[in-house]
Amino acid sequence: MRIRIPGRVALAAGALALLGATTAPGVAMAASEGSSSAAASPKPTIVLVHGAWADSSSWSSVMERLRKDGYPVRAIANPLQGLTSDT
């Protein structure tokens, strides 16, 4: 049996994995310091990068929800030009 994952689901999963990888060191550092200012610290900037056959505008609904929750968000344009130049 073969399970197919839609492109947007895979992109969202990748973005969440990237978010977790970038915020984990900061969370660990705040926890080890034992200060109560961790809740008052600014939220991390979330960077969303599109995959093939999409552009940065494909993140617009995700960006809207994240900004509503108070996160600074950036959608980076990744001009895909071809297999040789992109790898």
Side-chain angles (χ1 to χ4, degrees), residues 5-86:
I5 300 174
R8 286 191 179 218
V9 172
L11 286 174
L16 289 175
L18 178 62
L19 174 63
T22 58
T23 59
V27 170
M29 179 184 273
S32 67
E33 292 173 359
S35 66
S36 62
S37 64
S41 65
K43 292 186 177 185
T45 299
I46 298 174
V47 179
L48 302 170
V49 181
H50 64 84
W53 302 289
D55 62 7
S56 57
S57 68
S58 63
W59 291 113
S60 60
S61 63
V62 175
M63 290 175 61
E64 183 179 325
R65 288 182 292 190
L66 288 168
R67 285 184 176 146
K68 193 179 292 185
D69 288 340
Y71 288 95
V73 182
R74 304 285 182 265
I76 305 302
N78 183 14
L80 301 173
Q81 298 175 355
L83 180 60
T84 306
S85 62
D86 292 342

